[in-house]
Amino acid sequence: MTNPSSATPAPPTGTRGGCPMGAGAGAVPLSGPGFHSEPRAFYRTLRREHGPVVPVELPGGFPAWLVIGYRELHQVTTDAELFPRDVSLWNQWEHIPEDWPLRPMVGSPAPSIYFTAGAEHRRHVDMVVPALEGADPFEIRQHCEQLADRLIDAVCSRGTADLVSEYAEPLPLLVLARLIGFPDHDGADIARVLKDLADGGPGAQEANLRFGEHMRRLVAAKRAEPGDDLTSRMLAHPEPFTDEEYVLDLMAVTAAGHLTTAAWISNSTQLMLTEDQFADSLSGGRHSVAEAMNEVLWEDAPTQILAGRWAARDARLGGQDIARGDLLLLGLGPANADPHIRQQVSPAVVRSGQGGNNAHLAFSHGEYRCPFPAQEIAEIIARTGIEVLLDRLPDLELAVPAAELVRRPSAFLRGMTALPVRFTPVRSTGDAL
Ligand code: HEM
């Protein structure tokens, strides 16, 4: 893979940046079914009409750039000095209402790994990433097998289930809760809290407060009595952090890993249940599980669009004039489908996980990418979760025609709203959750 050169500086424009009048003529509204029902065709059209950097309009009329070119996305994520993940740079803040629906996702400056930049971000990375690295892969797998069995026990005698709400969503959260150091009963409540948060309804604010309280109690408990868990390893880091920083970092790790890993499980399972080439996975072909998971990272990446990066100064990118403080949304999903890179990566390579496969951008790239040990944790949870499911319910099949499956109505996270399945009822192996 070539390493693209840095973006070239441009004369100050000020045309879009800070414009209170909205995103300007020709900007594409960042909503609507195109983004989630037929994304491939939709992004092909955007690429043809706008090139690799698309002017878009966020809800409320706020302007942003959506980077869909692989080369340009690589350039933006590599050059963390020109394009830091520094939300405080945004030239729209003075126009953004308190109750703007995308506020929680775009974020606001806070002392956590996710909402700091530069040296302050690296300080958090140096504390959080080694703590993630300390999780033993063998133990993660054991936790995952046990929790997956319990979730399946809750539905197995029924013969039907919704794999999204009853399996793919709770499983990563319950495993992460254990790794972080929570007892299982707290894990179940955190799953409920995060569901309220994700639904974004009137309960979201209160859910966020409860989420923080769980973390605050945990930090106090682990300070008093450390264990073999992520929180205790973070607290043992030699450089001091405030309790608020530990709490926000734990919330960031949980929020970053939960629905993304859930979507990796459900998108891969859906692929195996709908595509003939994966039929042998239903009779125990482990190889196919890995292939489906690899294919999903290229074709159906959980994080399709991510907010984002902010320009530290005026620049030119993909033929567009980017003003200082402009928001760049990372089109990780569309960049993976960019014909420039796909000409170099054959379908066989996409599936095998060999060669150029790790060139996909599903986990982003550069200084702020998903940390490598977090990627490994996600991989263990997703693979173990799918393997246990297929072992326990070997004749699993979709309960509705594939054409009736509904995608989340989101341009940002690619997953299913539900995955109704049926199977021959089997006996429970132990305690259901
Ligand atoms: C399929 C599963 C996952 C996907 C697709 C995913 C994807 C991502 C992406 C796209 C980012 C943002 C990178 C950027 O701004 O450039 C990110 C950041 C992050 N992810 Fe993941 N992630 C996954 C699972 C996890 C898990 C399981 C954990 C925790 C155990 C985790 C922890 C984090 C953290 C802490 C960050 C912030 C890193 C930083 O700011 O330096 N992720 N992830």
Side-chain angles (χ1 to χ4, degrees), residues 77 85 113-114 121 125 128 132 176 252-253 256-258 260-261 264 297 302-303 306 308-309 330 332 361-365 367-371 374-375 377-378 381:
T77 48
R85 195 176 66 199
I113 186 168
Y114 214 88
H121 171 251
V125 167
V128 174
L132 285 169
L176 287 174
V253 166
H258 172 216
T260 46
T261 310
W264 200 6
L297 293 182
T303 311
L306 184 79
R309 300 291 189 267
L330 309 183
L332 306 175
L361 292 167
F363 293 103
S364 186
H365 179 71
E367 191 169 321
Y368 301 96
R369 64 158 196 280
C370 187
Q375 297 182 26
I377 292 172
I381 298 174

Side-chain angles (χ1 to χ4, degrees), residues 298-375:
W298 275 101
E299 310 287 4
D300 243 354
T303 311
Q304 286 284 307
I305 298 180
L306 184 79
R309 300 291 189 267
W310 285 264
R313 49 182 195 278
D314 293 349
R316 231 179 126 65
L317 180 77
Q320 305 280 18
D321 289 325
I322 313 294
R324 181 171 183 276
D326 276 0
L327 163 59
L328 292 112
L329 298 164
L330 309 183
L332 306 175
N336 277 342
D338 185 337
H340 285 116
I341 176 78
R342 294 312 289 269
Q343 278 160 8
Q344 300 166 40
V345 183
S346 71
V349 163
V350 163
R351 228 165 280 139
S352 70
Q354 306 295 316
N357 185 47
N358 54 9
H360 67 72
L361 292 167
F363 293 103
S364 186
H365 179 71
E367 191 169 321
Y368 301 96
R369 64 158 196 280
C370 187
F372 291 123
Q375 297 182 26

Side-chain angles (χ1 to χ4, degrees), residues 261-278:
T261 310
W264 200 6
I265 295 173
S266 57
N267 292 358
S268 307
T269 310
Q270 185 236 337
L271 188 65
M272 288 190 290
L273 294 176
T274 50
E275 298 289 321
D276 287 348
Q277 83 227 30
F278 292 108

Side-chain angles (χ1 to χ4, degrees), residues 8 75 79 94 103 110 115 117-118 123-124 156 171 194 201 228 237 253 289 295 300 310 341 365 379 413:
T8 47
Q75 187 171 348
D79 193 343
E94 60 180 306
R103 211 177 234 275
F115 295 117
R123 193 174 76 90
H124 283 268
C156 65
L171 182 63
L194 283 186
D228 179 13
H237 180 72
V253 166
V289 175
E295 186 158 331
D300 243 354
W310 285 264
I341 176 78
H365 179 71
E379 202 267 340
L413 181 75

Side-chain angles (χ1 to χ4, degrees), residues 55-66:
V56 293
E57 182 181 301
L58 299 170
F62 303 106
W65 301 102
L66 175 59

